[in-house]
Amino acid sequence: MRQLMDLGLDLVVESQAGTAAGYGNAAYAAAGASIVPELTAASLDVLLHVRPLEPETARELRPGTVTIGFASPGSELPGVDALAGAGVTSFALELVPRISRAQSTDALSSQALVSGYRAVLEAAVRYPRFFPLYMTAAGTIPPARVLVLGAGVAGLQAIGTAKRLGARVSANDIRAASAEEVASMGGTFIQLDLDAADGGGGYARELGKDRAIRQRALLAPHVGAADILITTAAIPGRAAPLLVTTDMVGAMRAGSVVVDLAAESGGNVEGVIAGQDLQIPVDGGSVTLVGLQDAASSMPSDASRLFAKNVANLLALMTTEGKVVPDFDDEVVAGACLTHGGAVRHAATAGALEALR
């Protein structure tokens, strides 16, 4: 917040906005912000938000208002349409370009860091056995076998966290650079007889139907051998790829735990429900299938610190002498822009809206 004050901006915070994350009104006031009982959208020049704005809120904003936050443009089309209709210049954090210069504004990565860490903790508290190896006078307890599917930021953080807990960790990703990244975190990379599928910008691209079926067949024995399975594969703006079928989960031993970080976008695991734990019957008991929902919010203090810095850095790129004037010649600013001047600037979202009309 002090970073924004130093830019010459006047900051207004809604009362108790940070309470759930451990930041009270006094902390914001000490940083120089004005505390108000309730924000009035029509009075703002810039609105910083976390979740996608509701269409009603977007319509209350004045033309030319700048908004920055997660917008979920692929799934929140009515909200995007309302932003464009209101003449709002909106920036979606999902659209920040994956380039070196934009790393400090990359909220997807910072929140994925939190989610990957949290996924392992959620698995550990549900797993009825130890994670680390123990050699005792009463016998040896082998380490848990953890399999991570998807080695982006969340996956790599999950690998590192599971290793620190003492588990034996393996992982797979369809991107070419993943093997070295997995090894750097102490995991063992699983080589499958599939060509790499890099989609650009650090993301994987979606596999065709036949290749996806083959991928699941090749992963099946590794899933069956795992005690903990954590899936993190996601393609921004699209449904999560199906990596694990019910039959594959059914081959795991009783007491195993599956945590699906992609549950909110359809899930990597067949039958997962976001926000719920399901018990999948297997011989001798069941496997717990966890549809992790909004994992970053389960660690609100650190997640908020990281998110706030990302947003402040992006806003700083648009601010000169206390005025927020986006420079669309800047590739980071232009790439993150969702709507401007009454139009949807993001081509894929514009196409999706047009198809609905």
Side-chain angles (χ1 to χ4, degrees):
M1 183 158 285
R2 288 191 177 91
Q3 177 183 355
L4 299 181
M5 295 291 293
D6 290 342
L7 292 172
L9 301 175
D10 295 324
L11 304 181
V12 179
V13 176
E14 189 169 88
S15 181
Q16 308 303 325
T19 301
Y23 302 106
N25 286 349
Y28 292 105
S34 299
I35 310 300
V36 299
E38 185 176 359
L39 286 178
T40 303
S43 67
L44 302 174
D45 298 310
V46 179
L47 174 61
L48 309 179
H49 59 93
V50 180
R51 288 291 193 175
L53 296 177
E54 295 291 337
E56 295 77 13
T57 301
R59 294 188 190 102
E60 293 175 4
L61 296 169
R62 294 177 299 174
T65 301
V66 171
T67 68
I68 300 176
F70 285 121
S72 300
S75 59
E76 299 291 337
L77 293 177
V80 176
D81 196 32
L83 287 167
V88 172
T89 298
S90 64
F91 295 88
L93 294 171
E94 296 93 337
L95 304 181
V96 169
R98 284 295 182 94
I99 58 177
S100 296
R101 183 169 160 266
Q103 286 180 350
S104 66
T105 69
D106 187 357
L108 280 179
S109 291
S110 73
Q111 301 308 290
L113 179 84
V114 181
S115 298
Y117 174 81
R118 187 70 188 195
V120 176
L121 301 186
E122 294 290 341
V125 297
R126 291 169 171 82
Y127 185 56
R129 304 181 182 92
F130 288 119
F131 259 51
L133 166 71
Y134 283 114
M135 300 179 70
T136 76
T140 299
I141 297 175
R145 293 164 294 185
V146 175
L147 173 61
V148 179
L149 300 183
V153 174
L156 292 174
Q157 180 63 15
I159 293 167
T161 303
K163 284 293 292 184
R164 288 191 290 273
L165 288 177
R168 184 191 308 162
V169 187
S170 58
N172 176 257
D173 193 293
I174 56 177
R175 295 174 300 116
S178 298
E180 292 184 5
E181 294 170 348
V182 168
S184 73
M185 299 301 293
T188 300
F189 189 77
I190 296 173
Q191 295 283 359
L192 301 180
D193 186 18
L194 284 172
D195 294 334
D198 294 272
Y203 295 107
R205 65 176 164 79
E206 194 169 8
L207 297 179
K209 182 177 179 180
D210 291 342
R211 290 188 67 199
I213 291 173
R214 176 164 174 74
Q215 180 189 33
R216 290 193 288 270
L218 293 171
L219 284 173
H222 300 284
V223 171
D227 300 308
I228 305 290
L229 171 63
I230 296 172
T231 66
T232 71
I235 302 173
R238 300 187 186 181
L242 178 64
L243 303 180
V244 180
T245 65
T246 301
D247 287 343
M248 293 163 70
V249 174
M252 301 175 77
R253 69 170 174 161
S256 298
V257 179
V258 179
V259 179
D260 190 341
L261 268 177
E264 288 183 280
S265 57
N268 297 141
V269 182
E270 185 177 16
V272 71
I273 299 175
Q276 293 189 24
D277 283 17
L278 303 177
Q279 298 300 318
I280 310 302
V282 298
D283 185 31
S286 63
V287 172
T288 302
L289 172 56
V290 183
L292 210 54
Q293 185 174 33
D294 197 14
S297 290
S298 65
M299 307 192 72
S301 182
D302 287 332
S304 295
R305 289 179 60 190
L306 295 171
F307 180 83
K309 190 64 175 177
N310 294 142
V311 171
N313 287 338
L314 183 56
L315 185 57
L317 292 178
M318 312 175 197
T319 305
T320 303
E321 298 181 354
K323 301 293 184 182
V324 178
V325 183
D327 177 8
F328 293 106
D329 289 331
D330 184 315
E331 62 181 327
V332 177
V333 173
C337 186
L338 178 60
T339 65
H340 175 64
V344 178
R345 287 178 57 108
H346 183 239
T349 304
L353 273 170
E354 188 62 32
L356 292 177
R357 293 191 172 107

